[in-house]
Amino acid sequence: MNERYDAVILGAGQAGPPLAVRLAQAGRKTAIIERKMVGGTCVNNGCIPTKTLIASARAAHLARRGGDYGVMIDAPIRVDMARVKQRKDAVVDNSVTNLTRWLANIPNLTMISGQARFESSKTVRVGDKLVEAEQFFINVGGRASVPEMPGITDVPYLNNSTMMHVDFLPEHLVIVGGSYIGLEFAQMYRRFGSRVTVIEMGPRVIAREDDDVSAAIQTILEAEGIAFRLNAKCVALAPGGKGVMVQVSCDEEPREIEGSHVLLAVGRVPNTADLGLDKAGVTTDARGYITVDDQLRTNVSGIWALGDVNGRGAFTHTSYNDYEIVAANLLDGESRRVTERIPTYALFIDPPLGRAGMTEKEVRASGRKALVATMPMTRVGRAKERGETQGFMRVLVDAETKRIIGVSLLGIEGDETVHSLLDVMYAGVPYTVIQRAMHIHPTVTELIPTLLGDLKPLA
Ligand SMILES: Cc1cc2nc3c(=O)[nH]c(=O)nc-3n(C[C@H](O)[C@H](O)[C@H](O)COP(=O)(O)OP(=O)(O)OC[C@H]3O[C@@H](n4cnc5c(N)ncnc54)[C@H](O)[C@@H]3O)c2cc1C
């Protein structure tokens, strides 16, 4: 059975649905193919559910800290994991329902359920359907990688997707991987009441960040009782003890950590192996990410790749921005490029880390003359009032242009405050514009002008 469209989107992640709607509304006969769950990773087992679970974990944390604020709860705090999961499911279901309803009601747009696989650069097979189109937009995302680790097939392990089904409290959750996803789950489950150990093969957590940022984050998490095992070598899994024995050293004692459950958070891989890309002639890099140019075109004319699968970003906002770039270039006659965007993201532990642009380490490596200012959150009135003074704020400025080139805000509201600096970076104006701005008291952002007043040459 053959079906013909002007445009076909593979995968209903973060870029696919809005792009499908724009194309359909522009009068192009459009189809969107999804093999599993509309909304993809972010909606079903990424951002939305984890941030909903983090909200429950924070409620538990604040309840335990009630006495610090004069709020006395005269009974032990109990977390009902089944209700925590129900709340998470309700938020996710609501998002999926709204997204599905939105797509279903767009004229010119057809939703197709099933696994898509290229048969040529102009055809894709979905079950017994052959779908033809002039243009294809690949938005198939990625999934948790499964490391080739001894014992991996001998024990049940969790990943970000299977964690979504957990409605009980693991007694001791051992998390392999001390990066963004691993650390968010670590704090979340510690606050729910589990014992948590994070195993990291490198010498520090989230190695992409500056050393003092990694160290401060580890200190924050250790203060809540999370154990870390860094420089872990010979990592291997085996059944035993309360569930799983995780080997963390070849020779140093203790060689093993006993956990009730193990969560693997060791990176992501693109969903390209089963896409028939060879039949379409689309090239990938050595890790399977689709190669694209600055406007997200693949090497094959008429085929684009958006979102995590192109390796140009690993976030919902980068995927959505990919959609904006492709839609603007195709439908609005613009010439937008990926390299015009400024890297930005957050680590949603509590307090969060908000990031934009370069780290101090990257600025040093670039060899450019720069200014830097760092301020502890203990100087921020809002943090003192809230009794949450952990972390620090750092801004880096180009010494010649006076433009902001890097921001790391580890502290309350860091994920929001970072945007006031990010937007100044986009405006392309010197930092003095924000330094002279009047901000609202008492907020975290009001300290940004003071922070900028402390700028000194980067030694
Ligand atoms: C635990 C976790 C927490 C995260 N938290 C955040 C966060 O707080 N903020 C943030 O910005 N990012 C976060 N991310 C990252 C974010 O989820 C991803 O960057 C984002 O979802 C990428 O979207 P995408 O558009 O590339 O595709 P995806 O959302 O991955 O969707 C791809 C879709 O394609 C479908 N598909 C795959 N292959 C085929 C095929 N052959 N045929 C048909 N359909 C197919 C899949 O089923 C899926 O629905 C998190 C990720 C994880 C894992």
Side-chain angles (χ1 to χ4, degrees), residues 11-15 33-37 39-42 45-47 50-51 114-116 139-142 160 181 185 268 271 275 307-308 314-317 319 348:
Q14 296 304 301
I33 309 169
E34 171 55 50
R35 72 176 174 190
K36 237 181 189 169
M37 294 172 293
T41 308
C42 181
N45 41 45
C47 345
T50 54
K51 271 76 246 181
Q115 160 93 27
N139 179 224
V140 294
N160 72 286
I181 292 173
F185 276 114
R268 313 266 307 156
N271 289 325
L275 207 51
D308 286 11
F315 302 99
T316 284
H317 46 274
S319 181
F348 293 97

Side-chain angles (χ1 to χ4, degrees), residues 109-110 182 218 292 297 351 370 382 440 454:
L109 177 59
T110 304
Q218 187 177 334
V292 289
R297 295 173 292 215
R382 181 64 173 273
I440 297 168
D454 288 347

Side-chain angles (χ1 to χ4, degrees), residues 60-80:
H61 175 70
L62 282 181
R64 282 191 203 101
R65 279 197 65 195
D68 295 351
Y69 301 90
V71 178
M72 310 318 289
I73 303 172
D74 297 322
I77 302 302
R78 189 174 61 85
V79 177
D80 182 336

